[in-house]
Amino acid sequence: MNITAQNHDEVSALLTVTLNKSDYKDKVEKQLHNYAKTAQVPGFRKGKVPLSMVRRQYEAPVAFEEINKLVSEALNNYVNENKLRLVGQPVPQPVDNFDHNAEQITVAFEVGYEPAFTVDLSKYEAPLYKVEASEKEIGQSIENMQKRFSTREEQEKLGKDTFAGLSITQIVEEDAEGEHHHHPKFATVSKDQKAAYDLVKKLKKDESLKITKEQLVENEELAKQLGFSKEEVEHLHHNELEVKVTDIYKLNLHELNQELFDKVYGEGKIKSEEELKEKVKSELDEYFQQNADVYFVNKVLEQINEKEEVQLPETFLVKWLVFSNQNITSEEQAKEILEAEKKQIKYQIIEGKLMSDNDIKIDYAEVLAQAEQLVRNQLAIYGIHHLSDEEIQKYAVEMLKDQEQVRQVSSEVAMTKLKDIILEKATKKETKISHDEFLEVIKK
């Protein structure tokens, strides 16, 4: 077996794999003898089927399978030995008059691969903002904790500090044909949802009013606050809807005391309001800084993508798109798609090169640790901070039974490591900034 390369340019080549019959003959014979021992053919006892009959029926597919294995192995070995980073997958050239009995078989593949280049991260500079939580943000976070453990107090009518539970139901016309079963929408509104609040503010519990589909079409904000997307409004089956007040209540915030501290962080972890504020500030600062770090990394990657020259195997990619996607029926169509995807392909190549050059690797322990952190973050949204490490790990292991989750979490781990490399090696212009100011920066 032999493999040769004919380079088209610096990023594409024709790889030709040449097999001699002797490379796979013994393996085919072994497989055929195994089939002869187990084949069940009418008129013959098991294991007594003539080898000649088995050969006529199975030799061609068995040989084809063995040849495929050897060709794949040869390609993989060549790519690994020459440290090629393929773009797309090898595209086989058509083989005319394939004959598994020939003394020599030749199979050729078009391949495209990443160019040889290096990125000097120290050449790139971006602002690294040091973001600190304000007293207002700390207070708001603590108030949110109090709201999570608040008690509800029923009210007679709506006021500025009350909430209204609503059900929104389509009204079926009397002359409508057929059966109509439309599930009601449910929404909770307060003065913060002005459009919906103004609609029902004069109603008492169990009172209702009617609105029309046209009103929801004209007032997207009202529709959104009542739980309808633009598409859902357009597909409403009936013109009138009933909006009913099912509940009116206000929230009594949980007192800022030891009971609340224990509910949020676990028993005895926080023992005073001062400790609570310090804890909340450290959490907010860490969260804000993570966002600032990501902003810095993204700015560096944007500059690299703009300034680095990365040659793409465009001719190959056109062939690969046509070969791999049955919906692409011409080279012209493939060229249009490639033109639209060039920037993203280049970005992925640069990202992969940075990971390769900086020897970024991941293992299961790191993936599991990231999954555990995702579980903690999700639970924190619901005010759950005190589950044991064993319970967190159980949820994380369950998450990683899904291969798509494994792929996604692995990608996050790799990107976190790349982020750390860029933070370490790229040039930083550090600036202290408030969170409000930072939010204005990222809007630009």
Side-chain angles (χ1 to χ4, degrees), residues 162-263:
T162 58
F163 297 82
L166 308 177
S167 68
I168 305 95
T169 309
Q170 294 187 60
I171 299 174
V172 181
E173 297 84 357
E174 291 183 3
D175 58 352
E177 296 181 357
E179 295 185 4
H180 297 268
H181 302 289
H182 306 297
H183 296 293
K185 288 277 189 181
F186 297 98
T188 300
V189 300
S190 67
K191 61 181 176 62
D192 294 332
Q193 292 78 40
K194 189 175 187 308
Y197 184 81
D198 287 347
L199 179 72
V200 301
K201 64 183 179 182
K202 294 182 180 179
L203 299 181
K204 295 180 180 179
K205 184 178 178 181
D206 295 327
E207 292 183 341
S208 63
L209 52 76
K210 295 178 181 179
I211 58 173
T212 65
K213 178 178 177 179
E214 286 73 19
Q215 284 177 270
L216 296 180
V217 170
E218 292 170 1
N219 191 337
E220 287 188 25
E221 192 61 28
L222 174 62
K224 182 179 178 182
Q225 291 173 9
L226 293 178
F228 292 94
S229 67
K230 185 177 180 180
E231 291 74 20
E232 286 176 318
V233 171
E234 291 173 354
H235 290 92
L236 285 171
H237 289 80
H238 307 285
N239 189 52
E240 282 193 318
L241 301 94
E242 180 186 45
V243 180
K244 181 178 180 180
V245 177
T246 59
D247 200 9
I248 301 175
Y249 62 92
K250 74 173 184 178
L251 292 177
N252 294 319
L253 297 183
H254 196 294
E255 187 178 345
L256 205 56
N257 57 17
Q258 190 63 48
E259 183 183 20
L260 177 65
F261 307 157
D262 292 346
K263 284 180 177 179

Side-chain angles (χ1 to χ4, degrees), residues 171-417:
I171 299 174
V172 181
E173 297 84 357
E174 291 183 3
D175 58 352
E177 296 181 357
E179 295 185 4
H180 297 268
H181 302 289
H182 306 297
H183 296 293
K185 288 277 189 181
F186 297 98
T188 300
V189 300
S190 67
K191 61 181 176 62
D192 294 332
Q193 292 78 40
K194 189 175 187 308
Y197 184 81
D198 287 347
L199 179 72
V200 301
K201 64 183 179 182
K202 294 182 180 179
L203 299 181
K204 295 180 180 179
K205 184 178 178 181
D206 295 327
E207 292 183 341
S208 63
L209 52 76
K210 295 178 181 179
I211 58 173
T212 65
K213 178 178 177 179
E214 286 73 19
Q215 284 177 270
L216 296 180
V217 170
E218 292 170 1
N219 191 337
E220 287 188 25
E221 192 61 28
L222 174 62
K224 182 179 178 182
Q225 291 173 9
L226 293 178
F228 292 94
S229 67
K230 185 177 180 180
E231 291 74 20
E232 286 176 318
V233 171
E234 291 173 354
H235 290 92
L236 285 171
H237 289 80
H238 307 285
N239 189 52
E240 282 193 318
L241 301 94
E242 180 186 45
V243 180
K244 181 178 180 180
V245 177
T246 59
D247 200 9
I248 301 175
Y249 62 92
K250 74 173 184 178
L251 292 177
N252 294 319
L253 297 183
H254 196 294
E255 187 178 345
L256 205 56
N257 57 17
Q258 190 63 48
E259 183 183 20
L260 177 65
F261 307 157
D262 292 346
K263 284 180 177 179
V264 175
Y265 289 105
E267 188 172 351
K269 298 291 180 65
I270 301 293
K271 298 179 180 178
S272 68
E273 287 187 36
E274 192 59 37
E275 285 185 16
L276 178 65
K277 288 180 179 179
E278 290 176 4
K279 178 67 173 175
V280 170
K281 183 179 187 307
S282 68
E283 290 177 339
L284 289 175
D285 285 349
E286 181 181 356
Y287 174 71
F288 293 162
Q289 195 57 53
Q290 287 173 356
N291 291 337
D293 290 349
V294 168
Y295 178 83
F296 170 81
V297 168
N298 287 340
K299 284 298 178 183
V300 171
L301 288 173
E302 284 175 17
Q303 291 180 52
I304 294 172
N305 207 39
E306 288 172 5
K307 296 179 181 179
E308 294 289 339
E309 294 293 331
V310 177
Q311 182 183 355
L312 299 181
E314 294 186 27
T315 301
F316 164 78
L317 285 172
V318 169
K319 293 178 183 177
W320 176 67
L321 286 169
V322 174
F323 172 77
S324 62
N325 192 325
Q326 62 182 4
N327 295 321
I328 300 175
T329 56
S330 67
E331 286 194 1
E332 288 70 24
Q333 186 183 1
K335 286 177 181 178
E336 290 178 7
I337 292 172
L338 177 59
E339 192 62 35
E341 298 292 331
K342 268 186 189 179
K343 188 173 182 180
Q344 183 61 28
I345 295 171
K346 179 182 175 183
Y347 189 93
Q348 290 172 349
I349 289 175
I350 289 172
E351 198 175 88
K353 182 64 173 172
L354 286 169
M355 290 184 181
S356 174
D357 286 353
N358 290 283
D359 198 29
I360 292 176
K361 297 182 177 67
I362 59 176
D363 56 33
Y364 180 76
E366 292 169 322
V367 174
L368 178 60
Q370 177 68 8
E372 290 173 359
Q373 187 56 52
L374 291 173
V375 170
R376 288 189 181 92
N377 293 345
Q378 188 66 34
L379 293 173
I381 294 173
Y382 300 99
I384 303 171
H385 293 264
H386 54 275
L387 285 185
S388 68
D389 291 343
E390 290 76 13
E391 290 173 298
I392 295 290
Q393 187 175 98
K394 182 178 72 174
Y395 285 118
V397 169
E398 191 65 29
M399 174 193 294
L400 294 177
K401 289 180 180 179
D402 182 342
Q403 288 303 308
E404 179 58 27
Q405 290 281 10
V406 173
R407 187 199 63 77
Q408 184 174 334
V409 175
S410 298
S411 176
E412 290 177 9
V413 172
M415 283 306 299
T416 297
K417 289 191 169 188

Side-chain angles (χ1 to χ4, degrees), residues 3-6 13-17 75 78-79 107-111:
I3 184 165
T4 59
Q6 178 185 343
L14 180 69
L15 301 184
T16 302
V17 182
L75 283 174
Y78 184 88
V79 168
V107 187
F109 296 83
E110 296 283 357
V111 294

